[in-house]
Amino acid sequence: MILDKFSLAGKSGLVTGGGSGIGRAMATGLVEAGAEVVIAGRSLERLEKAAAEMNRLGAGKAAAFQADLSDQAQVEALFDHAVGDLGKVDFLFNNAGTIFRVPSQDFPREEWDRALAVNLTAPFLLAQKAARHMIERGIRGSIVNTSSLIALFGGKTVPAYAATKGGLTQVTKTMCNDWGQYGIRVNAIGPGWVRTEMTQALQENKGRYAEISARIPLGRWAEPEDLAGLAVFLASDASRYITGQLIFIDGGYSAM
C-alpha cells in the first residue's frame, strides 16, 4: 500500500531547532508518522515542553537535548548523544538557524560569524557525522537541510542569512553527489514566509508585511504545520528516489 511508504515506524533521527517554529512542527509530524526523534536547541525548557506534547500523540516518541550550535564541541556531542539515545540515526533535519537584520553596510562582523557557525558550519558537521554513521551501518538514510526563499532572492538587511542559506543549498547538492552511492539522500526544504518568532519583526512591519503578502498566490503566510507533510515525505521511503533537490514551500511566492 502506498501509505505504508510514508510510515516512519522503526525509523529514528535528529531535528535541530526542534523546540519551536518550523522545527517543532516538522518534528511533530515525524513523531505522528511513528518515528523516534531527538529534538535539539538552546532552550531546554522549551525543548522539554515540546517533547512532552509530542509524546502525548501516542505514535513515535521524542526526547530533548540542549545544544548551542555555534559551539563546535556541542555540535559533536549532540550527534553522539542522538546515536546513544536512539541506537541509530535514519534521518537528520538540519533546521536550526539564526538571523540578524541590519543593512549590509552596518552589518557587524560578530553576527556574520555567528550566522556562518549556526546556519552553515553546524549543518555541514552534523551531516558529515550522519553520513559516516549511515555508511558504517549500511543505512540508506535521509538528510534534510532547511534552506530559504532568501537563497533565491537575497532578501533585505540579511546578508549573513542570505549567504548561509545560499551556501547550504549548494552544499546540499555536493553531499547528494558524494553520498548517493551509499543510498543516502540529501535534500533541502525552502520555506517561504512562515509565521514564526524569526519573522515576527516582518509581521509587525505593516508596509513590508503587505508587500510580501500581496505577492503570495495562495493569499496567506504559511503556518509552521504547513511544512510537516514534506518533512515526513522526505524522511520516508516514499521519497526514496528524490535527492539533491531544493523544494520550496512558499504558497507560490517563487513563481511570481
Side-chain angles (χ1 to χ4, degrees), residues 7 34 37 55 70 85 92 115 125 130 140 165-166 172 214 231 233:
S7 172
V37 178
N55 287 329
S70 67
D85 188 56
L92 164 66
L125 294 175
R140 301 176 73 84
K165 293 305 182 179
T172 295
F233 174 63

Side-chain angles (χ1 to χ4, degrees), residues 62-81:
F65 187 76
Q66 186 177 31
D68 181 349
L69 297 189
S70 67
D71 183 330
Q72 184 173 335
Q74 293 189 45
V75 172
E76 300 276 348
L78 167 59
F79 190 84
D80 293 342
H81 171 84

Side-chain angles (χ1 to χ4, degrees), residues 20 52 118 127 139 142 159 184 252:
S20 63
V118 175
I139 297 171
S142 176
I184 299 169

Side-chain angles (χ1 to χ4, degrees), residues 79-90:
F79 190 84
D80 293 342
H81 171 84
V83 173
D85 188 56
L86 300 168
K88 63 182 175 66
V89 169
D90 297 293

Side-chain angles (χ1 to χ4, degrees), residues 2 29 79 83 134 153 161 165 168 199 202 242:
I2 185 61
F79 190 84
V83 173
M134 292 170 182
F153 291 104
Y161 187 79
K165 293 305 182 179
L168 188 60
T199 62
L202 288 177
I242 297 176

Side-chain angles (χ1 to χ4, degrees), residues 24-163:
R24 178 171 177 168
M26 292 196 299
T28 299
L30 297 169
V31 170
E32 287 180 325
E36 296 186 11
V37 178
V38 168
I39 57 173
R42 287 187 299 167
S43 172
L44 184 59
E45 179 180 0
R46 177 177 283 185
L47 290 164
E48 289 179 337
K49 180 180 178 181
E53 292 183 2
M54 293 176 200
N55 287 329
R56 285 196 285 269
L57 298 172
K61 70 175 184 179
F65 187 76
Q66 186 177 31
D68 181 349
L69 297 189
S70 67
D71 183 330
Q72 184 173 335
Q74 293 189 45
V75 172
E76 300 276 348
L78 167 59
F79 190 84
D80 293 342
H81 171 84
V83 173
D85 188 56
L86 300 168
K88 63 182 175 66
V89 169
D90 297 293
F91 56 80
L92 164 66
F93 280 78
N94 279 314
N95 173 75
T98 185
I99 194 167
F100 190 81
R101 299 180 184 278
V102 169
S104 297
Q105 70 272 19
D106 298 320
F107 203 87
R109 172 62 187 271
E110 61 270 22
E111 292 297 338
W112 176 272
D113 290 343
R114 176 169 174 77
L116 261 65
V118 175
N119 297 357
L120 188 56
T121 301
F124 177 75
L125 294 175
L126 287 170
Q128 192 175 57
K129 288 181 73 71
R132 290 170 178 166
H133 169 81
M134 292 170 182
I135 292 167
E136 179 182 323
R137 301 198 182 193
I139 297 171
R140 301 176 73 84
S142 176
I143 296 171
V144 182
N145 299 316
T146 298
S147 182
S148 170
L149 269 178
I150 300 303
L152 182 63
F153 291 104
K156 299 177 180 179
T157 73
V158 289
Y161 187 79

